[in-house]
Amino acid sequence: MDLWGDVFKGYASITELSSAEKRAVPYVMECIELLFVSYFENVNNLSCADNAYSIYEFIKKHEKRIWESI
């Protein structure tokens, strides 16, 4: 099962991403997680902040795999 591929196939069934949008996908995902890190630190929920940062690191580590799935 290719989770990333399934996610993007579902999205593409609604609207097609341009090549620029496809290149930006991992960066957008990373930015979203960093926003969660900031939010959870601001509300003093360090457990959720740590979790969001772990997800950020996971996305960062798998950027190539994400691009290949799009």
Side-chain angles (χ1 to χ4, degrees), residues 26-58:
Y27 304 127
V28 171
M29 294 168 72
E30 291 164 6
C31 288
I32 290 168
E33 290 308 318
L34 291 175
L35 287 170
F36 279 122
V37 170
S38 178
Y39 170 77
F40 286 123
E41 283 186 346
N42 189 50
V43 297
N44 204 28
N45 188 334
L46 300 183
S47 175
C48 285
D50 288 342
N51 186 38
Y53 189 75
S54 293
I55 295 169
Y56 162 80
E57 288 180 320
F58 176 86

Side-chain angles (χ1 to χ4, degrees), residues 53-69:
Y53 189 75
S54 293
I55 295 169
Y56 162 80
E57 288 180 320
F58 176 86
I59 296 165
K60 188 82 172 153
K61 180 179 176 182
H62 293 93
E63 283 179 354
K64 183 179 178 193
R65 187 170 168 206
I66 295 168
W67 280 316
E68 289 171 350
S69 296

